[in-house]
Amino acid sequence: MITPAFALSQDPDFLTLGIRVPYTRTSDFDLYIDGADIKFYAKPYFLRLTLPGRLVEDGRETAVFDVDEGLFTVRVPKETAGEHFEGLQMLTSLLAPKGSRSAKPLVEDMGSVKDCSGNVGEDEDEEEFDWQVEQEVYRESTAEELGAEQTYGFANRRSGVFARLQEELTDVIDVKNPEGTTALERRRARLEAEAAAFSPDHYLADLFEDEEIKGLLEFRPWWAAPSPPPQQEGAAAVLFSEDEREQLRKFTNRSYLLDKPSRSQVWLSLVDILLAYAYEVRSTGGEHNVESPWTIRKLSGTLSWLESFSSLQEVLVSFGRRVLCYPLYRHFGLVSAALGDTVGILQSGKACVLKCLLDIHKVFRHNDPAYILNDLYISDYCIWIQRVSFKKVPALAATLLTASLQKKDLELELEELEEAAAIVAEEEQDGEGEEEQRASSGDSSNESSSSDSSEESEAEGRSRKEGGGTAKDCPLQLKPSSPSSPLPQAPTASFLSAERKDSVPLSASTGSRQLIQELGERVADELRISEDVVSAAAVQIEGAAERSSSRTLLEANPRRNPLLIVQSQEGIQSFEQ
C-alpha cells in the first residue's frame, strides 16, 4: 500500500482533510470515521490517522473529489464545537495507529501505563521478555571492546557507527576516534582545538571593520514575523511546504524511552543545534549555499564533537567560542543575535522548531557525507519534537531568554585584546596627527622660501635690464642642468676650448677663482643647498680638475650667453693652495 500525500486544517467547528490520490476512480473510495480515527482506502492508497480530538458524523460532513488534480477533500464536524486540535501539522505522529503509542516492540514509557486503579502496571516487563534468547558464555571484555561502547547521537543511543565509516569520519566530525574516547576526553579535545583555532587578528578585523556585520545584524529571518493568536498555533503560525510534508510522511514513527538526564541532554543539544542553524540563516541572508552544511555542523558542538551538555550555560559558551573561531564572520554581536533568534524560534512553538529541523535535514540530506548526522541526530529530533508537550517549548524559550553570555565567559581574553587594540589605535591616531602637523609646517616653510627665491630672481632680472650689460659684464648666469646634478655640465661647449685656450690670458685664473666663489655663495643662498650636497659638489669639482690635463671648462648657461672659463695648471694649483 502507498501512503498518500495529505494535509489537515481546521476552523472552530470543522476539520478538513485533503488527500492527493491521482489515477484512482471515485467508485473505489472507502472512508471510515470513528471518533479520533480516520481510515481511507482507494487502491493502491491507504491512509490511517489518529487525531488529537474527536469527530462526529451528523450529516454535516461533505466530500469532494477533483478529478483533474486528483485531490479528495473531506470536511467533518468536530464533536465539541470550538475545540482546537493541537499538532495537526505533526504528520508523523498522526500516522501512528492508536495502539502504537504503547504497543510492543516499540519502546514504551512505563510512566504512562497504568491500570484501572491508577497504578503503574508491573507485569509489562514480563510480557516483553524473550525466554528463548540465545545465550553465550560470559567472558571479560577487552579494553578495545570497552572503548567501542562509547555512545553518542540522539540521547546517546548510538554506538559503533563511525567504526564502519572511517573514510567519512574527518569530513563529518572533529573527533579523531569517537569509538575510543569518552565524553570528558571529547570535551577536553574540543576546548584545545578551539583555543588553537582562535585568531586575534581575524576577530579584531571583524570588530573594527564591521560594515558588513552591521548589515547581517539588521537581517530579519523568516520566523521573526508577528506571531498569530495562540488558538491558531500549528495551523497558520507555520506553513509547511509540500517537500516538508512529504519528508514528515517518510519518517518512521517511534517512541523514545528517556530518563530525566537523557531528556535534559536532548533539550540542551536541541538548543545547540538551533543556535548553529540561526547563525547560518543570518550569515547567509536566509539563502543556503554550499558552505551551509559545514557552518551548521561546525558551530554545533553536538554535531561536530558529539558533545553531551549538562547545563544551558555550557551550550551558550560552546556556541560563542565556536562562532569566534571558525566561520567567516567572527563577531560577538552575531552570537547575541543568534541567541535572540533561537529564543524567537522556541517562542513560536514546536511547529516552528520542527520546520527548522526539517530545513537542517534537507541541507544535510543533499550533502555527502553530512547525511550521517541526519541518521544520528536530526531525524530523531524531527520525530521526537512532534510528541513533546506544546507547553515545554515556550517554557524552554523563557529559560533561554533569562540566560546571559558575556565575553569573559568565553575565556578567550577578548576584553584584554580589545583594550590593547584600542590603545594601539589611539597611538596611531596621535602619530598621524603629528605627521600632519609637521607636513603642514614644512609646506608653509617651502612656500615662504620659494617666494623669497622668486623675489630675488626678479630683482636680479630688473638689475640686469637696467644695467644693460653684456655677457662679459654679467658672467654669473649659472643654473644646474638637472635637480640631481647641482653643478652645470659642459658637453656642448667643449669644442670651443681648443680655439680659445691660447687666446685666454693668464689672469683668467684669478677671475675664475672669484667667479667660482661667488657662484658657490649665490647657489647656496638661492637654492639653500644642504651642507652634504655642497660637499659632494666640491668633491665633483676637485675630481674634474684632476682629470683635466691643463684646463677645466665650466659652462655658465648654455642657453644664454655661454661663458667658458679656462684655467691653467698654475691657476689650479694656486687656487688649491
Side-chain angles (χ1 to χ4, degrees), residues 301-327:
T302 301
L303 301 179
S304 59
W305 283 92
L306 311 178
E307 182 67 83
S308 297
F309 298 103
S310 57
S311 68
L312 189 59
Q313 188 66 19
E314 288 182 359
V315 176
L316 300 181
V317 171
S318 172
F319 172 72
R321 287 171 60 92
R322 300 189 72 79
V323 167
L324 300 184
C325 291
Y326 296 107

Side-chain angles (χ1 to χ4, degrees), residues 325-555:
C325 291
Y326 296 107
L328 177 61
Y329 303 108
R330 306 178 186 180
H331 197 278
F332 190 80
L334 291 176
V335 178
S336 301
L339 178 58
D341 291 339
T342 304
V343 172
I345 293 172
L346 295 173
Q347 288 177 339
S348 299
K350 71 176 187 179
C352 186
V353 175
L354 177 59
K355 187 174 180 66
C356 294
L357 292 172
L358 289 173
D359 196 13
I360 299 173
H361 191 279
K362 181 179 179 180
V363 171
F364 287 168
R365 187 169 67 247
H366 294 91
N367 180 264
D368 187 15
Y371 68 89
I372 299 173
L373 297 176
N374 281 342
D375 297 336
L376 290 177
Y377 291 97
I378 308 303
S379 296
D380 287 315
Y381 268 111
C382 290
I383 300 171
W384 170 80
I385 195 65
Q386 300 181 60
R387 308 178 70 89
V388 301
S389 173
F390 282 91
K391 298 179 180 179
K392 291 185 178 180
V393 177
L396 178 60
T399 304
L400 186 60
L401 188 61
T402 59
S404 64
L405 180 66
Q406 301 179 1
K407 294 181 179 180
K408 63 181 180 180
D409 298 332
L410 305 183
E411 298 182 356
L412 295 175
E413 299 181 353
L414 300 180
E415 296 176 345
E416 295 80 357
L417 188 63
E418 293 177 9
E419 292 177 359
I423 295 174
V424 173
E426 292 178 359
E427 293 178 353
E428 291 180 354
Q429 291 178 357
D430 296 340
E432 292 177 358
E434 294 177 357
E435 291 180 359
E436 291 178 357
Q437 293 179 357
R438 288 197 298 268
S440 60
S441 61
D443 294 339
S444 60
S445 62
N446 292 335
E447 291 177 359
S448 61
S449 63
S450 61
S451 61
D452 295 340
S453 300
S454 61
E455 291 176 358
E456 292 178 1
S457 301
E458 293 176 359
E460 287 183 6
R462 288 194 300 269
S463 64
R464 292 194 189 97
K465 291 180 180 179
E466 293 174 358
T470 61
K472 294 180 180 179
D473 298 328
C474 301
L476 301 179
Q477 303 296 327
L478 300 178
K479 294 182 180 179
S481 59
S482 64
S484 61
S485 178
L487 294 178
Q489 304 295 329
T492 58
S494 59
F495 69 95
L496 298 176
S497 61
E499 297 179 359
R500 300 183 57 183
K501 64 181 179 179
D502 295 334
S503 60
V504 176
L506 185 62
S507 60
S509 62
T510 303
S512 62
R513 287 197 299 271
Q514 295 176 357
L515 177 63
I516 293 175
Q517 292 177 359
E518 294 175 0
L519 174 62
E521 294 175 358
R522 181 164 297 181
V523 170
D525 293 338
E526 294 182 359
L527 302 180
R528 300 182 183 276
I529 303 177
S530 63
E531 295 180 0
D532 295 338
V533 177
V534 173
S535 60
V539 173
Q540 293 181 3
I541 294 173
E542 294 178 359
E546 292 177 358
R547 289 192 300 271
S548 176
S549 60
S550 60
R551 293 172 176 80
T552 301
L553 176 63
L554 294 177
E555 181 183 357

Side-chain angles (χ1 to χ4, degrees), residues 196-210:
F198 178 70
S199 173
D201 295 337
H202 195 145
Y203 172 75
L204 292 177
D206 285 352
L207 179 65
F208 292 102
E209 301 175 3
D210 57 350

Side-chain angles (χ1 to χ4, degrees), residues 45-320:
Y45 300 100
F46 175 76
L47 178 65
R48 178 181 54 201
L49 299 177
T50 302
L51 302 175
R54 295 180 61 85
L55 304 176
V56 61
E57 293 183 274
D58 57 2
R60 293 181 295 165
E61 61 274 7
T62 59
V64 178
F65 179 64
D66 188 340
V67 179
D68 296 332
E69 297 292 334
L71 180 63
F72 178 78
T73 304
V74 57
R75 195 164 183 262
V76 185
K78 298 179 180 179
E79 185 176 80
T80 303
E83 180 184 3
H84 177 71
F85 291 178
E86 294 184 348
L88 292 183
Q89 292 185 326
M90 309 299 153
L91 304 186
T92 307
S93 60
L94 296 179
L95 287 171
K98 181 185 300 183
S100 67
R101 300 180 188 271
S102 59
K104 312 310 185 279
L106 295 178
V107 178
E108 177 187 5
D109 187 354
M110 296 303 299
S112 62
V113 180
K114 300 181 180 181
D115 56 20
C116 298
S117 61
N119 299 322
V120 177
E122 298 178 355
D123 58 345
E124 298 296 331
D125 289 340
E126 296 181 357
E127 295 180 3
E128 293 183 5
F129 187 79
D130 184 8
W131 293 98
Q132 304 299 324
V133 64
E134 182 178 357
Q135 302 181 86
E136 295 181 359
V137 178
Y138 173 79
R139 64 181 180 85
E140 291 288 343
S141 300
T142 63
E144 291 77 11
E145 291 174 317
L146 292 175
E149 293 177 359
Q150 300 300 329
T151 58
Y152 41 80
F154 178 82
N156 289 328
R157 292 160 46 94
R158 307 293 294 275
S159 63
V161 175
F162 291 102
R164 306 184 300 270
L165 302 171
Q166 291 297 327
E167 295 181 358
E168 295 85 356
L169 178 62
T170 56
D171 296 332
V172 180
I173 60 175
D174 294 340
V175 186
K176 301 302 180 182
N177 182 21
E179 307 298 344
T181 56
T182 63
L184 182 61
E185 292 172 343
R186 292 198 293 263
R187 174 168 299 184
R188 187 182 301 112
R190 174 178 65 82
L191 295 175
E192 293 176 355
E194 291 168 356
F198 178 70
S199 173
D201 295 337
H202 195 145
Y203 172 75
L204 292 177
D206 285 352
L207 179 65
F208 292 102
E209 301 175 3
D210 57 350
E211 293 299 326
E212 194 170 359
I213 302 294
K214 292 179 180 178
L216 298 178
L217 294 176
E218 296 174 356
F219 173 76
R220 290 178 59 84
W222 58 266
W223 57 80
S227 301
Q231 61 270 17
Q232 296 182 5
E233 197 278 332
V238 177
L239 298 178
F240 290 90
S241 65
E242 181 59 34
D243 292 339
E244 291 169 340
R245 290 196 295 267
E246 177 65 23
Q247 184 59 49
L248 287 175
R249 290 190 293 268
K250 290 181 179 178
F251 286 135
T252 302
N253 185 72
R254 62 175 68 98
S255 299
Y256 299 93
L257 178 61
L258 304 177
D259 55 11
K260 187 174 182 180
S262 298
R263 287 196 300 269
S264 175
Q265 189 268 329
V266 167
W267 282 108
L268 294 176
S269 295
L270 175 64
V271 173
D272 180 55
I273 295 172
L274 291 178
L275 284 169
Y277 172 75
Y279 175 93
E280 194 280 330
V281 172
R282 180 171 291 274
S283 64
T284 59
E287 298 180 358
H288 298 309
N289 53 38
V290 294
E291 296 295 332
S292 296
W294 180 90
T295 303
I296 296 175
R297 69 175 185 260
K298 197 69 175 180
L299 297 186
S300 170
T302 301
L303 301 179
S304 59
W305 283 92
L306 311 178
E307 182 67 83
S308 297
F309 298 103
S310 57
S311 68
L312 189 59
Q313 188 66 19
E314 288 182 359
V315 176
L316 300 181
V317 171
S318 172
F319 172 72

